[in-house]
């Protein structure tokens, strides 16, 4: 549902009732830009996480803190606290179903933002087409791959805005809505996106395992997913195991400790750690 947070709550409740009556397995996904558990809209305090309106939402808050962390605007501790706050504020079923995105038709292209070449969402009359230099593109691309790996490591539904995986860039609306770059796709970027999502799809732990987030200093975040006791995060039977993603946003290599091992993380990228 576009602009779900601008629709009357009674309408959302009735829509959900009719939908579940038609198909109990169908889901209602809504566009909510802020915390869906606690938002004031049109002077009314609303929660979309109570099981009477939405099943999940577009996770713009996660987008903001993921891009902010990669750009150095928040540190690893702040990123971890914000994600843990989301997990605490939302029912587990809702949190594990959110549409986790880095780009959308309403926001500047993620690669442009991560290239860090200026304001990508100025007032509309000041927006324009532009080109990135090879150095700027490489910087945005490296950060985008790390951010996409981060999205794939967290609970929720990893979602790609068309063209982000192929190297599309641009300012906010309307320049974020350009055509797909047919014949000019970044093949290596596509493969990096594909590898991350294939890992996600092949791993039951990454889908429904428990989540833990650790900040190692200001620049390194470790997202750990695990199943123990033969049960996943929802109490369903699952095979025990653990895996983790470590993201180092700094340009230099960092050494970390993970489950008794000392590991060197490359600069400005992510590394998957297997137990």
């Amino acid at each position: 549902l576009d602009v779900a947070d601008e629709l009357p709550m009674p309408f959302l409740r009735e829509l959900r009732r009719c939908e579940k009556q038609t198909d109990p397995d169908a889901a209602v996904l809504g566009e909510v830009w802020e915390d869906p558990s606690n938002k004031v809209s049109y002077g009314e305090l609303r929660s979309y996480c109570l099981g009477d309106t939405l099943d999940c939402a577009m996770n713009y808050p996660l987008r903001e803190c993921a891009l902010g962390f990669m750009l150095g605007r928040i540190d690893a501790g702040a990123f971890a606290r914000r994600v843990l706050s989301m997990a605490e504020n939302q029912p587990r079923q809702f949190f594990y179903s959110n549409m986790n995105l880095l780009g959308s038709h309403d926001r500047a292209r993620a690669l442009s933002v991560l290239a860090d070449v200026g304001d990508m969402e100025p007032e509309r009359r000041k927006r324009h087409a532009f080109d990135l230099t090879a150095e700027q593109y490489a910087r945005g691309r490296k950060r985008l791959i790390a951010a996409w790996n981060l999205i794939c490591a967290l609970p929720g539904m990893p979602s790609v805005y068309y063209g982000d995986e192929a190297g599309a860039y641009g300012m906010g609306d309307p320049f974020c809505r350009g055509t797909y770059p047919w014949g000019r796709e970044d093949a290596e970027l596509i493969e990096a996106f594909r590898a991350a999502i294939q890992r996600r799809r092949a791993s039951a732990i990454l889908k429904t395992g428990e989540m833990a987030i650790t900040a190692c200093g200001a620049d390194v975040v470790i997202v750990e997913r695990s199943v123990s006791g033969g049960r996943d995060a929802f109490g369903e039977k699952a095979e025990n195991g653990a895996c983790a993603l470590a993201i180092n946003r700094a340009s230099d290599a960092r050494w970390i400790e993970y489950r008794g091992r000392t590991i060197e993380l490359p600069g400005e990228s992510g590394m998957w750690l297997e137990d």
Side-chain angles (χ1 to χ4, degrees):
L1 297 173
D2 196 22
V3 294
D5 52 359
E6 295 185 17
L7 297 173
M9 296 297 274
F11 172 81
L12 289 177
R13 294 187 182 101
E14 179 64 10
L15 184 146
R16 179 188 176 86
R17 187 191 67 78
C18 292
E19 182 209 41
K20 298 300 183 181
Q21 190 176 58
T22 302
D23 182 358
D25 291 329
V28 183
L29 189 161
E31 179 190 18
V32 181
W33 282 47
E34 296 80 18
D35 180 355
S37 72
N38 180 17
K39 175 177 178 175
V40 175
S41 182
Y42 294 99
E44 177 186 359
L45 180 62
R46 305 182 182 197
S47 176
Y48 301 92
C49 302
L50 302 178
D52 62 342
T53 54
L54 305 179
D55 291 296
C56 55
M58 297 174 73
N59 204 345
Y60 279 102
L62 177 60
R63 174 190 184 271
E64 294 305 308
C65 64
L67 298 184
F69 171 66
M70 292 307 305
L71 288 167
R73 295 171 184 169
I74 62 172
D75 65 14
F79 175 85
R81 287 191 297 272
R82 292 187 188 186
V83 174
L84 290 173
S85 178
M86 296 175 203
E88 292 168 355
N89 290 347
Q90 301 170 22
R92 182 162 291 196
Q93 292 87 343
F94 198 101
F95 181 66
Y96 273 67
S97 301
N98 276 329
M99 178 182 174
N100 292 346
L101 70 162
L102 290 172
S104 81
H105 65 284
D106 285 321
R107 303 305 301 266
R109 288 279 180 174
L111 195 154
S112 308
V113 175
L114 292 170
D116 199 14
V117 292
D119 184 5
M120 291 292 104
E121 297 193 30
E123 57 180 292
R124 194 176 182 90
R125 67 185 178 85
K126 294 182 179 180
R127 298 178 187 181
H128 57 85
F130 68 96
D131 284 319
L132 295 173
T133 67
E135 180 182 1
Q136 291 166 346
Y137 181 85
R139 180 169 62 240
R141 180 178 183 266
K142 180 180 289 187
R143 291 171 175 171
L144 179 61
I145 291 172
W148 174 241
N149 274 284
L150 189 55
I151 291 294
C152 289
L154 290 166
M157 299 185 292
S159 305
V160 182
Y161 179 50
Y162 80 96
D164 280 356
E165 81 287 9
Y169 56 86
M171 287 188 173
D173 186 15
F175 296 96
C176 57
R177 305 190 188 205
T179 56
Y180 185 85
W182 295 113
R184 297 176 287 107
E185 301 97 323
D186 184 330
E188 291 184 11
L189 184 58
I190 288 176
E191 186 53 38
F193 266 69
R194 178 183 291 118
I197 199 62
Q198 285 180 340
R199 177 187 292 270
R200 167 70 178 229
R201 294 184 67 182
S203 172
I205 293 173
L206 287 175
K207 293 176 184 176
T208 61
E210 296 283 359
M211 176 195 74
I213 302 182
T214 304
C216 299
D219 296 319
V220 177
V221 164
I222 299 178
V223 178
E224 186 172 10
R225 306 296 303 279
S226 62
V227 170
S228 60
R231 299 285 176 177
D232 67 10
F234 299 95
E236 300 294 331
K237 288 184 178 180
E239 184 176 347
N240 291 345
C243 64
L245 173 73
I247 295 288
N248 175 20
R249 70 174 182 195
S251 58
D252 58 330
R254 298 293 174 93
W255 294 88
I256 64 166
E257 294 291 328
Y258 175 70
R259 292 182 173 256
R261 292 180 290 153
T262 301
I263 299 169
E264 183 181 16
L265 299 179
E268 293 185 337
S269 62
M271 176 182 286
W272 289 91
L273 310 172
E274 302 290 346
D275 183 21

